[in-house]
Structure formats: structure tokens, C-alpha cells
Amino acid sequence: MRFLIATAFEHSKDPFENLALDYIKRTQPLYRPELKQVKADKLLPVTERSVRVVFDETGILQDSVQFARQLQKFLEQARPVAFLIGPPEGHNPQVRSAADKLWSLSKLTLPHKMALCVLAEQIYRSGEILRNGPYHK
């Protein structure tokens, strides 16, 4: 299974981004996540042929176990999954309409690099939940 995390902001030395990269590295054996940072108008082209999960404040909220179950369903479908985090001004209407799933990470407004960190941690946590690992309590 391949997970692509596509973000519409540039790479930096931000502490949240560094922590996200650490979670992505820890998750490598299970999901092989890949991080691509592209311009907002490239989010759809780089996620073609993937199940598109777009993060938006109006999306569905889930707890960690529900999130893990959704990832399990994606694994069973054996289709690549792309998680899309938009630019600071939010996703444009074309990206929202192309979404297969519209999810929210929080009712709070998060800085986009913090959203990346939360997403990366939840992907890692999901793997631990699904394998009954000790990380999720």
C-alpha cells in the first residue's frame, strides 16, 4: 500500500515538518508514505489514480480508531491513497469536487505544517492500532 501526502506549501526547517518527517520515516515499513510538496495547482495532477482524501475544516471528524479503520479499508481495496493538505487560503473548489473523501483533522484551525504533523502521526498511530502495537493507548 502506498500513501502519498501532497501538501501545497514549500519545504522548510519548521519543527512541525521535521516531526512529521520522523513519523513518516517510522511508518515506512507498513504504508510506505511519501511526502510531495507542490504548488496548489499541482495537487490534482500528482494525485491522479489515487483515492483522494482532502483535508478541510468542513470534512468528517474521526477519532484515531475510526481513522485506522478507514486506512484498513483502503488497504483492502489495494488502491493508492493521496492525502491532500491545501495552501493557507484553503483548497480551491476543483480540489474539493475531486475529493473521494473530505475529512477534517480538527474543528480548530491548524497551521498547515501542524496539520501535516498531525496527519503523519495519525497514519503512524493507525498502523500501531491495526497491529495492536503498544503506541496507541
Side-chain angles (χ1 to χ4, degrees):
M1 168 56 61
R2 184 184 85 120
F3 288 148
L4 171 65
I5 302 170
T7 63
F9 51 80
E10 293 184 22
H11 177 71
S12 69
K13 300 279 187 206
D14 185 273
F16 288 118
E17 190 172 349
N18 289 336
L19 185 56
L21 292 171
D22 181 57
Y23 281 116
I24 289 169
K25 183 178 175 181
R26 289 194 226 176
T27 309
Q28 283 298 332
L30 181 61
Y31 297 131
R32 297 177 304 157
E34 175 187 356
L35 176 62
K36 278 194 181 180
Q37 296 167 312
V38 298
K39 296 202 181 286
D41 63 343
K42 301 293 184 205
L43 284 172
L44 292 179
V46 301
T47 60
E48 283 187 58
R49 293 190 228 45
S50 297
V51 175
R52 289 184 177 121
V53 179
V54 173
F55 287 98
D56 183 86
E57 67 274 2
T58 64
I60 296 170
L61 281 170
Q62 307 173 79
D63 64 27
S64 295
V65 173
Q66 292 168 323
F67 190 92
R69 287 182 184 142
Q70 288 294 316
L71 295 192
Q72 181 64 38
K73 287 180 184 177
F74 293 145
L75 286 170
E76 291 166 1
Q77 293 173 359
R79 285 185 61 200
V81 177
F83 297 105
L84 286 72
I85 298 175
E89 61 275 5
H91 289 290
N92 67 42
Q94 293 88 347
V95 171
R96 285 188 187 151
S97 66
D100 295 294
K101 305 278 184 187
L102 194 62
W103 290 356
S104 177
L105 291 171
S106 172
K107 287 187 176 193
L108 301 171
T109 301
L110 301 174
H112 287 77
K113 293 187 182 192
M114 185 182 289
L116 170 62
C117 184
V118 170
L119 173 60
E121 191 277 340
Q122 285 301 299
I123 294 171
Y124 174 72
R125 181 178 297 274
S126 293
E128 290 295 297
I129 289 169
L130 295 174
R131 73 173 192 91
N132 293 317
Y135 183 77
H136 181 71
K137 297 177 176 59

